[in-house]
């Protein structure tokens, strides 16, 4: 299911039907003469979005006020070289204009409840809570919310907080704890570099391209074609760039060379705008036609840039896909400062108390980012061809670092009940929710093709890949993760269709896609209190449909994008109208609206009943209180987000928007 985090919707608007397969790079138009001047285009865009009520019943209000200036410059250089660059800078005013939700005033004091027993125990009422827990013999379970001395270890005041997941679900009986939501220059709790995000000040959130990775330089590369014998060519492209593999428009099956910035606008910006360009070298051996092929091309791609993960959004910002960034920040805060975890301690059957943990007991312990060296670079090879019958295809192989994190649990920590610290060298504490974050090496093989289906008057696009090395959460394992092979595929159909009541003189584009994922060696087991194992679905399908019309001499273009996650039973529709007022000015108006069929199917084992510190953490009346391992007690937090997917976790993030784009 982790790959479903990568399923984007916004790219569907780019789907186009071609009468013949897309030509290879060897058929590109020649470069302009060497004495051509600079060709420069300048664009300004304002994207303003308004969000309705979240799961707490509060209206979010302004969720985006992004102003973007983009400069694209091309020039033919000497000796056959050409230069291409894109500079992009943006300022998002939402962190000042709506600071109560996303800025320095976000969050506040919170209360964490107990389930099914005494009245709710207040988050700030540590005396009552700790007295109950101490009565159970938890003598070393220090209260984590110390607000008396900012310089003391474990300083963790009850302010600037939200409850984990409260934007997408209500109280559900799962694990819940405090999450700091203010920018990191205001509140440093839980801030860490999770692969290019997670430790950002307000200025970093407002001006995301102006950072140490120089994202303001969106593209900067040189190209040259070297003629070889027998009409063959060698094409080089070196610099900061995007490399797009595959033929489908929405789903990143083969298109995984560049990471993606989901913090820009979740999944609703076009992929070409949210891929994170990397420093890459490409070499293409253009072999031309043969007796059986119209064209052939062999490409080698070397991503030699320093590793970078997908930007899933810093907790407290306006776009946090899957709410994952909040889980990471909250867990990091628990490790550093301790805190209260709701619905945790078993007092009697059906009664789960909010429980205090001290620093270094549970949470996110460390982030292991791959350092730059040759071993950590990424290498890919693609063979691409067009048959005499017009079928265009590719065969792909890639070795790369996962752009999604893996949390490896069961680490060394302090026993919350005895005070004994056990190190990694001693084996850690099996099944303990103390994690290190890793980005494992993944190997991919796959292919793609597209062809014309004459009988249906449609173009068909197919893409498939098999990966080895991806890691998934798994509560049946002592380390709380497993390594699995994954098969993914997409099939797409594009058909221009005359629909007279829409436009009798112009075709309407209908584009549909089905994304399928299968996880090999998937594990789920029924335990005493529920299912344990891997929360990701073993098999899942996401379907999308795009209907795009062209009116008023193509100056008005209404469209509707719909996506449905079959296993999560979550639906999103995104209507939009583009109005090209002039050749330089375009206005877009639209929204995105989500529905889901209940959330019980999203609940899963959360490891409250994993018994990492036997016998203290064994459920009341357990037959084997000295045996660690999950008993299957679950809720929506924290693993339900993988079952809900990017649509389900955003079902309370309905938005309307107006976007204006002007070319100078």
């Amino acid at each position: 299911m982790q790959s479903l985090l990568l399923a984007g919707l916004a790219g569907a608007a780019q789907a186009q039907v071609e009468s013949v397969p897309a030509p290879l790079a060897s058929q590109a138009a020649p470069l302009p003469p060497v004495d051509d001047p600079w060709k420069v285009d300048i664009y300004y865009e304002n994207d303003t979005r308004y969000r309705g009520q979240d799961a707490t019943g509060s209206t979010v209000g302004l969720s985006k006020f992004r102003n973007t200036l983009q400069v694209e410059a091309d020039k033919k250089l000497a000796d056959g070289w050409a230069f291409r660059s894109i500079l992009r800078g943006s300022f998002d005013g939402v962190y000042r204009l709506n600071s109560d939700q996303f800025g320095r005033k976000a969050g506040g004091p919170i209360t964490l409840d107990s389930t099914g027993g005494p009245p709710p125990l207040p988050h700030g009422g540590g005396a009552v809570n700790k007295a109950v827990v101490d009565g159970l013999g938890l003598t070393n379970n220090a209260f984590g919310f110390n607000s008396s001395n900012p310089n003391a270890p474990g300083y963790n005041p009850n302010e600037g907080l939200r409850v984990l997941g409260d934007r997408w679900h209500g109280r559900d009986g799962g694990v819940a704890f405090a999450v700091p939501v203010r920018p990191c220059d205001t509140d440093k709790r839980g801030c860490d570099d999770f692969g290019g995000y997670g430790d950002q000040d307000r200025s970093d959130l407002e001006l995301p391209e102006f950072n140490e990775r120089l994202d303001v330089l969106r593209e900067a590369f040189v190209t040259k074609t070297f003629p070889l014998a027998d009409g063959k060519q060698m094409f080089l492209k070196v610099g900061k760039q995007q490399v797009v593999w595959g033929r489908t428009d929405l789903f990143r099956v083969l298109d995984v060379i560049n990471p993606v910035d989901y913090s820009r606008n979740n999944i609703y910006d076009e992929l070409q705008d949210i891929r994170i360009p990397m420093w890459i070298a490409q070499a293409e051996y253009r072999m031309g036609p043969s007796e059986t092929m119209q064209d052939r091309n062999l490409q080698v791609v070397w991503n030699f840039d320093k590793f970078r993960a997908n930007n899933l959004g810093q907790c407290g910002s306006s776009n946090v896909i899957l709410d994952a960034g909040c889980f990471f920040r909250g867990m990091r805060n628990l490790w550093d400062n301790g805190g209260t975890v709701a619905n945790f301690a078993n007092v009697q059957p059906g009664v789960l108390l909010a429980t205090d943990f001290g620093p270094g007991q549970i949470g996110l312990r460390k982030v292991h980012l791959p350092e730059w060296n040759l071993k950590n670079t990424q290498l890919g090879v693609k063979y691409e061809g067009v048959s005499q019958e017009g079928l265009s295809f590719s065969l792909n192989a890639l070795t790369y670092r996962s752009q999604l994190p893996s949390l490896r649990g069961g680490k060394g920590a302090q026993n919350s009940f005895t005070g004994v610290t056990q190190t990694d060298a001693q084996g850690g504490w099996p099944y303990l929710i103390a994690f290190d974050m890793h980005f494992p090496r993944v190997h991919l093989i796959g292919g793609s093709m597209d062809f014309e289906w004459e009988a249906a008057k449609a173009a068909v696009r197919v893409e498939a890949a098999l990966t080895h090395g991806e890691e998934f959460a798994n509560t049946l394992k002592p380390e709380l993760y497993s390594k699995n092979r994954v098969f993914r595929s997409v099939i797409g159909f594009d058909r221009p269709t005359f629909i007279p009541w829409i436009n009798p003189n112009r075709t309407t584009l209908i584009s549909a896609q089905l994304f399928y994922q299968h996880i090999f060696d998937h594990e789920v087991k029924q335990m005493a209190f529920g299912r344990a194992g891997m929360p990701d679905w073993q098999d899942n399908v996401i379907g999308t449909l795009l209907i795009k019309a062209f009116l008023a001499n193509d100056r008005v273009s209404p469209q509707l994008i719909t996506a449905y996650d079959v296993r999560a039973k979550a639906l999103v529709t995104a209507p939009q109208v583009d109005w090209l007022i002039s050749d330089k000015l375009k206005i877009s108006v639209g929204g995105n609206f989500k529905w889901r069929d209940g959330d019980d199917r999203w609940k899963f084992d959360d490891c409250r009943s994993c018994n990492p510190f036997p016998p203290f953490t064994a459920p009341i009346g357990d037959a084997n209180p000295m045996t660690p391992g999950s008993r299957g007690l679950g809720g929506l937090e924290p693993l339900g987000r993988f079952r809900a997917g990017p649509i389900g976790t955003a079902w309370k993030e309905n938005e309307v928007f107006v976007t204006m784009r002007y070319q100078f």
Side-chain angles (χ1 to χ4, degrees), residues 208-221:
E209 288 87 5
F210 297 90
N211 53 35
E212 63 182 14
R213 297 296 292 264
L214 299 178
D215 285 343
V216 68
L217 186 63
R218 182 153 181 82
E219 290 188 3
F221 58 80

Side-chain angles (χ1 to χ4, degrees), residues 50-53 592-594 650-656:
Y50 183 90
R51 190 173 294 172
Q53 291 185 344
N592 51 80
F593 310 95
K594 299 93 173 174
W651 82 279
K652 278 295 187 178
E653 294 182 359
N654 296 328
E655 285 184 328
V656 293

Side-chain angles (χ1 to χ4, degrees), residues 52-53 65 104 144 226 244 301 359 391 454 546 577 603:
Q53 291 185 344
F65 189 71
R104 292 177 173 172
F226 297 86
V244 183
V301 177
L391 185 144
E454 295 293 343
L546 164 71
V577 177
K603 294 181 180 180

Side-chain angles (χ1 to χ4, degrees), residues 125-342:
V128 176
N129 190 2
K130 194 171 188 305
V132 174
V133 176
D134 281 350
L136 301 174
L138 312 186
T139 56
N140 291 286
N141 203 2
F143 180 53
F145 286 82
N146 166 28
S147 58
S148 60
N149 182 3
N151 298 316
Y155 177 67
N156 203 6
N158 188 13
E159 60 186 39
L161 304 172
R162 294 186 71 117
V163 178
L164 178 67
D166 67 353
R167 288 198 184 276
W168 72 280
H169 64 76
R171 181 182 175 205
D172 69 292
V175 170
F177 48 81
V179 179
V181 293
R182 293 174 179 172
C184 290
D185 56 336
T186 302
D187 189 346
K188 295 185 179 299
R189 289 179 294 174
C191 292
D192 202 344
D193 183 359
F194 302 130
Y197 69 100
D199 57 353
Q200 296 173 306
D201 297 345
R202 187 178 71 175
S203 61
D204 300 323
L205 298 170
E206 291 176 330
L207 301 161
E209 288 87 5
F210 297 90
N211 53 35
E212 63 182 14
R213 297 296 292 264
L214 299 178
D215 285 343
V216 68
L217 186 63
R218 182 153 181 82
E219 290 188 3
F221 58 80
V222 293
T223 61
K224 183 176 180 177
T225 302
F226 297 86
L228 304 175
D230 302 325
K232 296 178 174 60
Q233 297 176 336
M234 178 64 71
F235 173 76
L236 294 181
K237 182 178 181 181
V238 181
K240 199 171 190 182
Q241 58 184 289
Q242 301 181 42
V243 177
V244 183
W245 278 6
R247 303 173 189 277
T248 52
D249 298 299
L250 306 180
F251 303 104
R252 286 163 43 90
V253 175
L254 295 173
D255 181 20
V256 294
I257 295 176
N258 293 81
V260 171
D261 181 7
Y262 292 107
S263 72
R264 183 170 170 85
N265 197 21
N266 209 315
I267 56 177
Y268 303 108
D269 272 5
E270 296 179 356
L271 277 172
Q272 66 180 8
D273 292 326
I274 61 176
R275 286 191 197 91
I276 301 174
M278 304 289 282
W279 292 98
I280 294 173
Q282 289 189 64
E284 296 179 4
Y285 177 39
R286 299 173 174 175
M287 295 172 279
S290 68
E291 293 183 358
T292 58
M293 303 286 289
Q294 294 185 34
D295 207 350
R296 299 166 297 159
N297 182 27
L298 181 64
Q299 179 190 69
V300 177
V301 177
W302 180 33
N303 181 349
F304 57 86
D305 206 347
K306 182 179 179 181
F307 172 79
R308 195 158 181 185
N310 291 328
N311 187 339
L312 304 181
Q314 176 169 298
C315 188
S317 61
S318 54
N319 292 300
V320 186
I321 190 170
L322 280 176
D323 208 39
C326 286
F327 175 59
F328 301 153
R329 187 171 183 180
M331 290 291 282
R332 183 65 181 167
N333 181 49
L334 280 175
W335 181 266
D336 289 340
N337 303 307
T340 301
V341 180

Side-chain angles (χ1 to χ4, degrees), residues 390-401:
L391 185 144
S392 181
F393 69 93
S394 73
L395 300 174
N396 307 67
L398 178 69
T399 177
Y400 66 105
R401 286 281 189 171

